[in-house]
Amino acid sequence: QAAEGVRLLAVATARRPARTRAYTPADERGLTFRGFVAFHDAPADTAHDAVRALAARGVEVKVLTGDDPATAARVCRDLDIAPADVTTGERIKDLTDEKLGELAARTTVFARCTPEDKARVVTALRAQGRTTGYLGDGVNDLPALRAADVGVCPHDGVDVARESADVVLAGKDLRAVEHAVVAGRHSSANIASYLRITLSSNLGNVIAMLVAALLLPFLPMLPAQVLVQNLCFDGAQLALAHDRPDPAALRRPTVLRPRSFLRSITGIGALGALADLATFAVLALCLPGALDLSDEAAFHGGWFTENLLTQALVMLLLRTGRRAAEGRAPGPVRWAATGLAVIGILLPLTPVGPWLGMTGLPVTYYLLLAVVLGLYAAALRRFGGGVSSSRRSLPSGLSSRS
């Protein structure tokens, strides 16, 4: 039974005369054995569901406990965690930090750990580039809570553990940890979408603006037009905060690797600049005076429309997890992009257009612009792949009581 993680106490009885003074070991004679009382450390009610949900999110769970190896293994089996070989604290005392990191990467359960042992394991995992969360509720968990990237304490943990933790669970439901992981990945995916969309779009506009400034005898875009365009684009991007990335994009954390991210936004920005230059050619074809002082307002109107339409396409095609999301009912991003496109087409045609220095254009321009936008969208689909890249599994330490 002990090998199965059950703690046993033998129970025996004897009849003794009642007395006021204390009983002593001398009274432990002539006992009649009655049987055993078995004690089993039961996990929290929601622990099994929490571990399963974390595993589905690519989070690897490791158990660091001061309990007996058999007890730790029994708790793991109750939670459907394969304990494999249980490592004890005595084994890791003489290991270097590098060797401990290699051992921790392939070990699920550490038993008979001192508080310092727990902190060393957490630190070793972090040294391997893993993001580590530690869940603990006792005084012996303090070093590990402080060593982890994120320390989590249940609401009924001791006072010093709650004070040292980064996150304190308000209820007994351990699935809140998985909910927090999903919320974090959701936020980081939307932030990555925003950065990718904004930086690439602005870079393309800057390149086109510099080229246009060299080619045209007038300002490529008036300050008021730039302000209106930016207000429309920034307002539409507020919808990204309410976007729901595809579940596949939430299975791993979103990581922006600086070098690949810079290459990506540079390439997409260059595509945007090419679309702008192609628009200049369309304007020159449809309105021969659009590139000189004779039809400055037409140029401003045409480029304003193209800018907002390309920005709407960028919002739709460059957000995280958009491939699976495209088949769903229209969401906030789609509505925002549609509104942005409608403003880009109609604003130069309204009475506000001339006030901003813009005029409408012939139907031929819009037909040719549709061809340019179609090619631009195809290029974005081809070269503007997803932004998320997965790191190694994210291990999380769980105390045995949790």
Side-chain angles (χ1 to χ4, degrees), residues 3-18:
E4 292 297 320
V6 178
R7 297 178 181 178
L8 296 179
L9 291 181
V11 178
T13 61
R15 301 183 68 85
R16 297 286 185 268

Side-chain angles (χ1 to χ4, degrees), residues 1 43 71 80 95 192 211 279 296 319 328 331 334 372 399 402:
Q1 289 294 313
T71 302
D80 289 338
L95 294 179
V211 173
T279 301
E296 178 181 347
R319 72 189 197 273
R328 303 184 305 193
R334 278 195 184 183
V372 172
S399 69
S402 301

Side-chain angles (χ1 to χ4, degrees), residues 109-293:
V109 182
F110 292 86
R112 294 199 186 282
C113 289
T114 65
E116 292 73 21
D117 293 335
K118 296 179 181 180
R120 281 195 68 202
V121 172
V122 171
T123 302
L125 290 169
R126 290 188 64 190
Q128 290 190 330
R130 297 178 176 228
T131 302
T132 306
Y134 185 87
L135 176 63
D137 59 2
V139 175
N140 59 348
D141 295 309
L142 289 179
L145 286 170
R146 292 168 177 163
D149 290 293
V150 179
V152 183
C153 180
H155 77 291
D156 56 355
V158 299
D159 292 343
V160 289
R162 291 201 303 270
E163 292 171 0
S164 299
D166 301 293
V167 177
V168 177
L169 303 181
K172 294 183 178 181
D173 192 346
L174 296 180
R175 290 172 296 185
V177 177
E178 186 262 344
H179 297 330
V181 169
V182 173
R185 292 181 180 178
H186 184 175
S187 297
S188 61
N190 286 345
I191 290 171
S193 294
Y194 173 78
L195 291 174
R196 185 178 173 90
I197 290 168
T198 301
L199 295 178
S200 60
S201 179
N202 288 347
L203 177 61
N205 283 343
V206 167
I207 295 173
M209 186 75 76
L210 293 175
V211 173
L214 297 175
L215 298 177
L216 302 175
F218 53 81
L219 285 176
M221 190 172 290
L222 299 178
Q225 296 165 0
V226 174
L227 179 61
V228 171
Q229 176 185 298
N230 286 345
L231 285 175
C232 292
F233 187 37
D234 293 343
Q237 287 183 101
L238 292 175
L240 289 172
H242 305 282
D243 192 24
R244 304 295 299 181
D246 182 68
L250 302 178
R251 291 175 186 166
R252 290 289 186 273
T254 299
V255 180
L256 295 179
R257 305 185 186 280
R259 187 169 298 177
S260 60
F261 182 68
L262 182 60
R263 285 199 303 266
S264 175
I265 63 173
T266 301
I268 296 171
L271 284 176
L274 288 175
D276 289 337
L277 296 177
T279 301
F280 298 165
V282 170
L283 286 168
L285 180 64
C286 297
L287 298 170
L291 299 186
D292 57 43
L293 294 173

